[in-house]
Amino acid sequence: MRFNTRAIHAGNQVDPLTGAICQPIFQSSTFVQEDIGVTRGYDYSRAGNPTRTSLEANLAALENARHGHAFSSGLAALQGLMHLLRQGDELVCSAGVYGGTWRFLTQVMEPWGLRSRFVDTAELDQVRAALTPATRLLYVETPTNPMMRLSDIRALATLCKERGVLLVVDNTFLSPYFQSPLALGADIVLHSCTKYLGGHSDMIMGALMHNSDELQTKLAFVQKSAGAVPGPFECFLLLRSTKTLGVRMERHFENALRVAHFLEEHPAVTAVHYPGLPTHPQHDLAQRQMQGYGGMLSFELKDYEAARSVARALKIFSLAESLGGVESLVNHPVGMTHASVPRAQRESYGLTDALLRLSVGIEDAQDLVDDLAQALALAT
Ligand code: P1T
């Protein structure tokens, strides 16, 4: 089956009791047992819930994976992943990841005994130099949030296989509709489902998808034993959202491309970071690795004051963290999503306080361009 058919049908069986076409919300914490230890497949909703089972089958199908695991947030999915590692293990991570990922790895995992080395994963030599005999996992965000730097998943997968390192790709920015890391050789895909998969800015959830039966057993054990799982209502909401992922992504992409071209021509804008522009330094890789360029972009103004006045003057773009919803958002990463990243670290990969990030929604493109035009006019 092709993408949109899978998105609509995978995991969604017609209810055998009533014929309901949508998966019911099994809003139950526990399940009655027929005898001690004799269940109908479910005993307690932390370990498993029928609405979550449907969602996990759907999530797996989106990435063409055999297995999917839902967690209570994107960061909870990252934490679930960390339970595969031990104290003394090491991790290599893309410099320029989401600020919350950086904070979790440096301020939660590092004191616990897991060292992370942050390198530019677009440069294979830097990754090779950072791998040590203790490295167990390479964590790659591509495109990075918010600089839109790309890493070559296929090349990294080859390197990881040689070194026996697990390759995990955070595919949040493009969604499974525009990028398929598992097909390019990655071992696990992570999503903040809060973003494009959810698509309506009304829920928080995370997921891991992969093809390994061994990891399936381990991660299901982590879900049950560590407990960071979503409730049935959230699972229902996400099942509802993924059905329209393909049509939403097409429109996000179309609008973002339009906005990127507009910004590139504007005299107040000093740089635009969008992989769909031929001026993006890795446009060739984007063409090879992605099926579309998505709805995220960032751009630079002359200084912080200019960035602040544009962010404040926008009317349709709301000033907020998060991304991937139907409504357009503007974010100032240094002051908001990446505030926990030290200045020296963020400046090493080009993140300055003159940068704004846009999550381009699915409104009418002309209205978005008009909104940016009036805000930039005020700023210049
Ligand atoms: O917010 P949560 O569902 O826990 O997901 C964390 C996360 C993981 N990976 C990427 C690439 C992300 O962008 C995020 C969350 N990001 C934002 C909230 C943001 O505004 O960038």
Side-chain angles (χ1 to χ4, degrees):
M1 276 192 289
R2 294 172 180 78
F3 188 88
N4 290 306
T5 314
R6 289 202 307 274
I8 292 168
H9 294 286
N12 277 299
Q13 321 81 339
V14 173
D15 178 39
L17 209 59
T18 62
I21 200 158
C22 294
Q23 182 63 23
I25 307 172
F26 286 90
Q27 195 71 40
S28 189
S29 58
T30 192
F31 299 84
V32 174
Q33 307 200 1
E34 288 161 11
D35 199 346
I36 296 173
V38 180
T39 71
R40 299 180 205 184
Y42 296 95
D43 53 19
Y44 189 62
S45 277
R46 174 162 30 74
N49 173 287
T51 318
R52 198 176 96 208
T53 303
S54 294
L55 172 67
E56 290 178 331
N58 185 263
L59 290 172
L62 293 179
E63 287 286 3
N64 248 330
R66 284 221 303 281
H67 306 292
H69 304 265
F71 289 86
S72 54
S73 68
L75 287 184
L78 179 60
Q79 183 175 13
L81 192 63
M82 294 300 110
H83 287 301
L84 299 175
L85 307 179
R86 298 281 170 268
Q87 282 185 331
D89 287 349
E90 289 186 7
L91 181 151
V92 175
C93 180
S94 305
V97 281
Y98 165 57
T101 300
W102 158 274
R103 183 178 56 206
F104 175 71
L105 292 176
T106 57
Q107 294 177 35
V108 179
M109 294 314 297
E110 190 98 33
W112 177 83
L114 185 113
R115 171 155 186 208
S116 293
R117 298 169 194 267
F118 294 86
V119 300
D120 180 0
T121 49
E123 299 291 341
L124 223 55
D125 287 345
Q126 284 194 31
V127 178
R128 214 174 268 124
L131 296 175
T132 73
T135 311
R136 296 281 168 270
L137 196 146
L138 173 63
Y139 190 82
V140 174
E141 203 179 88
T142 180
T144 54
N145 175 0
M147 298 309 294
M148 309 302 292
R149 186 145 173 86
L150 310 183
S151 296
D152 185 334
I153 299 172
R154 198 184 284 282
L156 290 170
T158 305
L159 177 61
C160 283
K161 291 224 161 42
E162 278 166 25
R163 301 293 188 93
V165 168
L166 211 58
L167 175 60
V168 181
V169 174
D170 183 332
N171 203 22
T172 300
F173 260 38
L174 288 175
S175 91
Y177 188 71
F178 283 142
Q179 184 167 267
S180 306
L182 298 179
L184 295 168
D187 297 297
I188 303 180
V189 170
L190 178 143
H191 278 281
S192 167
C193 309
T194 314
K195 313 295 162 22
Y196 287 106
L197 298 190
H200 297 74
S201 310
D202 54 7
M203 61 172 307
I204 300 272
M205 206 193 291
L208 299 174
M209 292 82 135
H210 61 87
N211 283 314
S212 156
D213 293 342
E214 191 189 335
L215 285 174
Q216 149 68 18
T217 308
K218 287 185 178 170
L219 289 169
F221 180 77
V222 167
Q223 286 176 294
K224 175 172 84 172
S225 309
V229 291
F233 181 64
E234 264 69 23
C235 293
F236 166 82
L237 274 182
L238 191 56
L239 264 172
R240 188 176 192 271
S241 297
T242 57
K243 291 176 187 170
T244 57
L245 181 64
V247 286
R248 284 186 284 109
M249 292 313 297
E250 291 286 355
R251 180 62 172 256
H252 282 295
F253 171 26
E254 190 185 314
N255 284 1
L257 193 60
R258 183 80 195 278
V259 165
H261 283 304
F262 167 76
L263 290 172
E264 202 173 35
E265 296 301 314
H266 200 285
V269 174
T270 55
V272 181
H273 307 290
Y274 184 62
L277 292 176
T279 49
H280 187 284
Q282 297 163 296
H283 184 59
D284 284 356
L285 174 60
Q287 285 181 310
R288 257 187 288 134
Q289 175 163 285
M290 295 147 60
Q291 287 78 54
Y293 307 117
M296 296 302 298
L297 60 88
S298 56
F299 66 103
E300 291 174 42
L301 293 130
K302 80 172 183 307
D303 55 20
Y304 171 72
E305 280 314 321
R308 181 164 179 246
S309 59
V310 170
R312 285 161 61 103
L314 285 165
K315 295 192 171 84
I316 297 175
F317 286 84
S318 300
L319 182 62
E321 301 201 3
S322 203
L323 57 110
V326 291
E327 58 286 282
S328 293
L329 301 179
V330 57
N331 163 49
H332 183 260
V334 168
M336 296 164 66
T337 47
H338 291 65
S340 60
V341 181
R343 174 190 283 264
Q345 170 67 17
R346 63 175 164 74
E347 286 185 349
S348 74
Y349 59 82
L351 175 52
T352 71
D353 62 7
L355 184 119
L356 291 176
R357 185 188 77 183
L358 299 181
S359 172
V360 181
I362 64 170
E363 299 95 336
D364 290 299
Q366 190 60 49
D367 289 333
L368 300 179
V369 168
D370 291 348
D371 193 27
L372 284 160
Q374 65 80 25
L376 285 163
L378 291 179
T380 42

